[in-house]
Amino acid sequence: MSLPATLPNGYLPSGVHIAALSEVITRFGTTTPRRQVLANRLQELLTLARATVRLQRVFVWGSFVTDKPFPRDLDVFLLMQEGFDGELIRLPQAQRDVFNHQRARLLFEADVFWATEAIGLEELASWLGVYQLSRDMIPRGIVEVTFDDRNP
Amino acid sequence: MIETPEQFERAEEAITKMKRFLLAARRTHTPEAYAALSAPILQELQDRERDILDYLSRSPQVASR
């Protein structure tokens, strides 16, 4: 297991923690019925995002990756291959829903943030820095999700 | 909730970073994609700016209680 224990404040320690999806699900998606529901939603949305074959990296933060027994929703960032933005309109509806904020909230109980690699590494790092602070400005860790088959 | 000047500074920095991300995304993504990807960020910006206005609306005495 590569994910560290949560701190007394319920958050992961600061930093970006890399973990396989299976580990994320085992750790955060099993202990309560609410967590099981959100874990299923996460797997559904990631299956659809991966089906585009343009998914490069995945980050998860927010209440799901804390020790709260009843997380409100999922917060996810999907980094897509450069050029994906031009393909968005041609995706099957089920895949396109992942990248539509309102549809994603409705279907997956998730705030899905996304961009393509064209955004640049510097902006990506800056963005990830924003989410390593809670809305109460408390430092917290976020999770980069990898896949067991190593193929995004 | 923002309670201290340090938290206020961090919140302002976070908002600046989010706006910079949006500006970069506007330059590098198609209009359709930008419309989709900016929606949750704009919502988050609005929420965070509300937190800042809430902090600024309280006097230091009230904020430190």
Side-chain angles (χ1 to χ4, degrees):
Chain A
M1 299 290 267
S2 57
L3 286 169
T6 51
L7 300 170
N9 63 14
Y11 293 120
L12 288 168
S14 293
V16 180
H17 306 285
I18 299 173
L21 179 60
S22 57
E23 182 184 351
V24 174
I25 297 302
T26 303
R27 172 73 178 275
F28 295 111
T30 55
T31 53
T32 65
R34 177 60 182 161
R35 285 190 167 278
Q36 290 164 14
V37 167
L38 287 178
N40 287 336
R41 300 274 189 268
L42 179 62
Q43 290 181 99
E44 287 166 15
L45 89 81
L46 291 182
T47 297
L48 287 165
R50 294 183 83 194
T52 66
V53 298
R54 295 289 183 261
L55 181 63
Q56 296 298 299
R57 298 173 77 181
V58 179
F59 299 88
V60 180
W61 65 87
S63 55
F64 185 66
V65 292
T66 68
D67 64 5
K68 284 185 183 173
F70 196 86
R72 191 171 65 114
D73 56 13
L74 297 164
D75 294 287
V76 180
F77 180 84
L78 306 175
L79 184 68
M80 308 302 292
Q81 215 170 61
E82 191 160 351
F84 170 77
D85 52 327
E87 303 169 3
L88 184 63
I89 200 160
R90 293 191 295 275
L91 291 178
Q93 186 65 51
Q95 292 174 22
R96 212 184 317 160
D97 284 342
V98 172
F99 303 92
N100 177 303
H101 183 222
Q102 290 185 335
R103 295 286 295 164
R105 279 212 63 79
L106 185 69
L107 296 170
F108 309 112
E109 299 185 68
D111 280 324
V112 177
F113 299 83
W114 67 276
T116 73
E117 290 171 317
I119 201 74
L121 285 176
E122 190 181 337
E123 286 304 329
L124 175 64
S126 174
W127 172 264
L128 294 176
V130 168
Y131 288 97
Q132 289 176 64
L133 285 175
S134 74
R135 284 276 295 282
D136 295 330
M137 299 297 121
I138 299 169
R140 66 181 180 184
I142 66 176
V143 177
E144 178 168 3
V145 179
T146 61
F147 297 94
D148 300 308
D149 54 17
R150 296 184 183 277
N151 182 8
Chain B
M1 181 185 280
I2 300 169
E3 300 280 6
T4 67
E6 292 74 25
Q7 290 173 337
F8 170 78
E9 290 300 326
R10 284 188 206 150
E12 286 275 274
E13 282 171 24
I15 281 181
T16 299
K17 287 178 181 176
M18 293 174 79
K19 288 179 177 172
R20 214 176 62 200
F21 187 92
L22 282 174
L23 286 171
R26 284 174 93 215
R27 287 194 307 271
T28 54
H29 292 70
T30 63
E32 295 79 12
Y34 180 73
L37 75 85
S38 65
I41 304 174
L42 292 169
Q43 176 72 60
E44 176 97 13
L45 262 178
Q46 202 169 29
D47 292 343
R48 288 175 179 250
E49 287 189 328
R50 196 179 304 123
D51 290 345
I52 284 176
L53 291 176
D54 179 56
Y55 173 77
L56 291 173
S57 71
R58 285 175 275 133
S59 71
Q61 289 82 3
V62 173
S64 65
R65 267 179 210 159

